Amino acid sequence: MSYIISVGTAVPPYEISQETAKNFSKILFKDHFKDIDRLLHIFDHTQITKRHFCVPIEWFEVEHTFEEKNMIYVKNAIELSKQAIFHCLKNTPFGTEDIDHILFISSTGLSTPSIDAYLFNDPDIHFNPHIKRTPIWGLGCAGGAAGLSRAMEYSRAFPNDKVLVVSLEIGELAFLRNDLSKSNLVATSLFGDGAAAVLIVGDEVLQTDAGLKMIDSQSTIWKNSLDVMGWDVRNNGLKVIFSKDIPSIVQNELKPNVDQFLLNHHLTLSDLQFFILHPGGTKVIEAYENAFQITEQETMITRQILNQYGNMSSPTVLFVLQALLKNHPPKNGHGILIALGPGFSSEIILLEWMK
């Protein structure tokens, strides 16, 4: 079996309130939309209080090149990932020198060598020179969950190894100042920056049944859904693709998928004790609640993370995971972790909490 040992997170220094973001967007979009005041209600409906960015809000007042944005990405990806790693490992008996495999997950910038190589060269990090590296790009909001799934599979094959999943996104770099589309307005109300690191080990490292056990995972990709979520690469950066159909897909397509996955383990949704859900937005959370017939109490942590950080793409579900383990440790029993991403795709992980 595989176990989740610890989760660490990090956010950048510029905290921007939703009201500030709303006022900025009104100035930017008011000449393009006659009904701008009505459209700006989307900021209120997000239930987001604040978000964290790597740049001050003044940065958004002028256009920036793809090159400039990517330089900001690389610099902050290294720093935020480093912080998340140290936060993850500080309460464990392990240091960076003990890590056997690192999976680095991201979709909001480009780097060759990949960011994990930059982390290896950081003077404060002491990775083994023979560490295995698996950079994963392009999974968007599903990336953090997919990283956990791949780490689970690796730790089962190599039960003596310690695996570190690092998920990092600088979402504000997708903001295109001259893109006056409604999808860009929605993105302006929703996305933020953050990083998370998760330590996963196999049976031979953690010789106890206590803790958060990873039972199984399921990856799914739906045909004819390439336009639901992703990037449209432009000369000045990454233009967000964000379909309004996502909540209906959650409600109509995801539940049968989850039901079958649970049935494979002789479980149903009513058997689950906890839900770790990627907060894509309030409508997506409501779609989870309607599809799974669960209450706002059961999505409380998901809603709290959205409220305090916005949608940070791939690391967001790992923030939910951390908050659950830290503040609301579940009772003995099964739970499920779900995130959705481009493709259109889902990643589902069955977990079991054992004290």
Side-chain angles (χ1 to χ4, degrees):
M1 283 297 173
S2 303
Y3 296 86
I4 294 174
I5 300 299
S6 179
V7 184
T9 58
V11 292
Y14 295 101
E15 184 178 294
I16 296 178
S17 72
Q18 191 71 331
E19 189 64 25
T20 299
K22 179 181 177 181
N23 292 336
F24 173 84
S25 297
K26 181 174 184 177
I27 295 171
L28 180 64
F29 288 93
K30 66 180 181 180
D31 293 332
H32 188 73
F33 294 109
K34 293 180 180 180
D35 57 345
I36 185 62
D37 289 325
R38 181 183 65 83
L39 292 174
L40 287 174
H41 284 306
I42 191 172
F43 284 82
D44 307 318
H45 296 157
T46 61
Q47 297 183 13
I48 296 171
T49 299
K50 61 181 177 65
R51 288 170 283 162
H52 296 262
F53 294 147
C54 290
V55 294
I57 196 164
E58 294 78 19
W59 183 87
F60 299 96
E61 294 178 355
V62 297
E63 188 65 28
H64 299 275
T65 65
F66 199 175
E67 178 183 10
E68 183 182 358
K69 292 176 181 179
N70 207 64
M71 289 174 64
I72 293 172
Y73 168 82
V74 171
K75 176 183 176 181
N76 286 279
I78 298 167
E79 180 56 32
L80 287 174
S81 298
K82 176 180 171 180
Q83 291 178 29
I85 290 170
F86 285 133
H87 291 158
C88 176
L89 296 179
K90 70 178 181 181
N91 292 322
T92 76
F94 308 112
T96 51
E97 66 278 3
D98 298 310
I99 302 302
D100 300 287
H101 190 169
I102 180 172
L103 295 93
F104 182 80
I105 318 294
S106 192
S107 298
T108 45
L110 304 174
S111 178
T112 303
S114 49
I115 298 298
D116 45 278
Y118 283 94
L119 293 170
F120 175 84
N121 283 275
D122 189 286
D124 297 324
I125 296 179
H126 306 289
F127 285 140
N128 187 309
H130 305 296
I131 189 172
K132 296 177 176 65
R133 300 186 295 123
T134 304
I136 301 175
W137 196 91
L139 294 180
C141 295
L148 295 183
S149 297
R150 304 294 83 79
M152 177 190 70
E153 294 156 0
Y154 179 88
S155 63
R156 287 184 177 179
F158 300 94
N160 288 298
D161 283 6
K162 294 161 283 292
V163 187
L164 194 63
V165 176
V166 180
S167 177
L168 170 284
E169 304 292 1
I170 313 296
E172 97 266 1
L173 299 181
F175 176 77
L176 302 180
R177 193 177 187 282
N178 294 322
D179 176 10
L180 299 176
S181 64
K182 287 187 179 180
S183 62
N184 195 36
L185 180 61
V186 172
T188 304
S189 73
L190 192 59
F191 291 103
D193 302 345
V198 184
L199 178 63
I200 295 170
V201 302
D203 285 322
E204 298 301 319
V205 178
L206 186 72
Q207 306 214 349
T208 175
D209 283 334
L212 189 57
K213 184 187 297 185
M214 306 180 75
I215 304 298
D216 194 10
S217 70
Q218 178 174 280
S219 303
T220 303
I221 182 168
W222 285 273
K223 282 186 174 292
N224 304 315
S225 60
L226 294 172
D227 59 347
V228 172
M229 185 188 296
W231 297 131
D232 184 5
V233 180
R234 301 291 181 88
N235 288 334
N236 56 343
L238 303 172
K239 174 180 167 59
V240 67
I241 300 171
F242 196 64
S243 171
K244 64 181 180 180
D245 295 330
I246 294 173
S248 64
I249 293 173
V250 170
Q251 190 147 343
N252 298 327
E253 303 290 341
L254 183 63
K255 185 179 183 296
N257 194 35
V258 172
D259 285 340
Q260 183 58 55
F261 175 60
L262 292 174
L263 186 62
N264 295 339
H265 296 274
H266 309 289
L267 295 168
T268 67
L269 282 163
S270 61
D271 294 317
L272 301 180
Q273 300 295 317
F274 57 95
F275 294 83
I276 303 169
L277 307 171
H278 168 69
T282 53
K283 289 185 178 180
V284 174
I285 298 173
E286 290 167 0
Y288 281 129
E289 292 168 348
N290 293 331
F292 299 156
Q293 291 296 291
I294 56 178
T295 66
E296 287 192 15
Q297 181 65 26
E298 290 169 293
T299 60
M300 176 183 65
I301 301 173
T302 293
R303 288 180 177 275
Q304 288 174 347
I305 294 301
L306 181 66
N307 177 268
Q308 293 298 304
Y309 301 99
N311 183 346
M312 298 169 286
S313 191
S314 66
T316 321
V317 74
L318 307 181
F319 275 65
V320 179
L321 171 64
Q322 181 194 47
L324 177 81
L325 295 178
K326 183 178 180 180
N327 301 316
H328 305 276
K331 301 175 183 178
N332 283 9
H334 291 94
I336 200 165
L337 184 149
I338 301 175
L340 307 169
F344 186 66
S345 62
S346 72
E347 197 73 31
I348 307 170
I349 303 174
L350 179 63
L351 303 166
E352 184 176 11
W353 177 262
M354 303 182 70
K355 292 185 179 178

